[in-house]
């Protein structure tokens, strides 16, 4: 929210010997912006291997936009004017700290961040091969996917 503060400076003119005084006001304006409130209900949706969609509710009061940050194996930040953002270019299978910060209309003054944590989905394995097939067993081999994987589940 913007506030306009006026400061009146009064210059007092004295005319000695003539018996008159006069006051002439000078104005000085100061424009200031208050810090926006925090956003609410930050959630991570539509998580893929390389992106996460964030949605949130607007803060009480005014916000000129929202700064979105993702910190993990990679870092990205950008500003949007909507109540959602797609964070792209992420590493598969990785944990990210995701923050949204309300920004005032002056595009400088920021509110406090709201932060959540989410993992991107891991990529699929590569070069899956079946070997040593018998009536009761088989062996599987594969190459690790790009990104991070904490383990594998065979079904």
């Amino acid at each position: 929210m913007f506030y306009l503060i006026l400061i009146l400076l009064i210059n007092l003119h004295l005319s000695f010997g003539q018996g008159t005084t006069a006051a002439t006001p000078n104005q000085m304006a100061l424009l200031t912006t208050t810090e926006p409130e925090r956003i609410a209900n930050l959630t991570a949706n539509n998580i893929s291997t390389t992106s996460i969609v964030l949605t949130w509710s607007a803060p009480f009061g005014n916000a000129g936009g929202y700064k979105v940050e993702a910190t993990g194996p990679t870092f990205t930040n950008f500003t949007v004017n909507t109540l959602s953002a797609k964070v792209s270019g992420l590493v598969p299978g990785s944990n990210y700290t995701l923050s949204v910060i309300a920004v005032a209309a002056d595009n400088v003054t920021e509110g406090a961040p709201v932060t959540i944590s989410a993992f991107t989905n891991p990529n699929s394995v590569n070069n899956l091969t079946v070997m040593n097939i018998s009536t009761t067993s088989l062996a599987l081999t594969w190459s690790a996917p790009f990104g991070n994987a904490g383990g594998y589940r065979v079904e």
Side-chain angles (χ1 to χ4, degrees), residues 53-70:
V53 175
L54 298 174
T55 58
W56 59 89
S57 300
F60 176 76
N62 296 324
Y66 303 93
K67 183 176 171 183
V68 178
E69 295 182 347

Side-chain angles (χ1 to χ4, degrees), residues 94-147:
S94 298
N95 188 25
Y96 281 88
T97 301
L98 304 152
S99 300
V100 177
I101 305 159
V103 180
D106 67 356
N107 292 321
V108 175
T109 308
E110 298 180 354
V114 174
T115 301
I116 61 172
S117 180
F119 278 86
T120 52
N121 292 333
N123 252 334
S124 299
V125 298
N126 298 308
N127 306 315
L128 179 61
T129 306
V130 180
M131 302 171 21
N132 303 328
I133 301 171
S134 75
T135 58
T136 59
S137 67
L138 55 86
L140 299 173
T141 61
W142 59 84
S143 300
F146 170 74

Side-chain angles (χ1 to χ4, degrees), residues 80-103:
V80 297
N81 294 321
T82 59
L83 297 176
S84 66
K86 183 175 184 177
V87 182
S88 301
L90 306 178
V91 176
S94 298
N95 188 25
Y96 281 88
T97 301
L98 304 152
S99 300
V100 177
I101 305 159
V103 180

Side-chain angles (χ1 to χ4, degrees), residues 35 85 147:
E35 186 176 286

Side-chain angles (χ1 to χ4, degrees), residues 37-87:
E37 295 289 328
R38 292 165 48 113
I39 60 108
N41 305 315
L42 178 60
T43 58
N45 305 294
N46 300 327
I47 298 172
S48 74
T49 56
T50 59
S51 67
I52 299 173
V53 175
L54 298 174
T55 58
W56 59 89
S57 300
F60 176 76
N62 296 324
Y66 303 93
K67 183 176 171 183
V68 178
E69 295 182 347
T71 305
T74 59
F75 175 80
T76 186
N77 71 337
F78 55 93
T79 303
V80 297
N81 294 321
T82 59
L83 297 176
S84 66
K86 183 175 184 177
V87 182

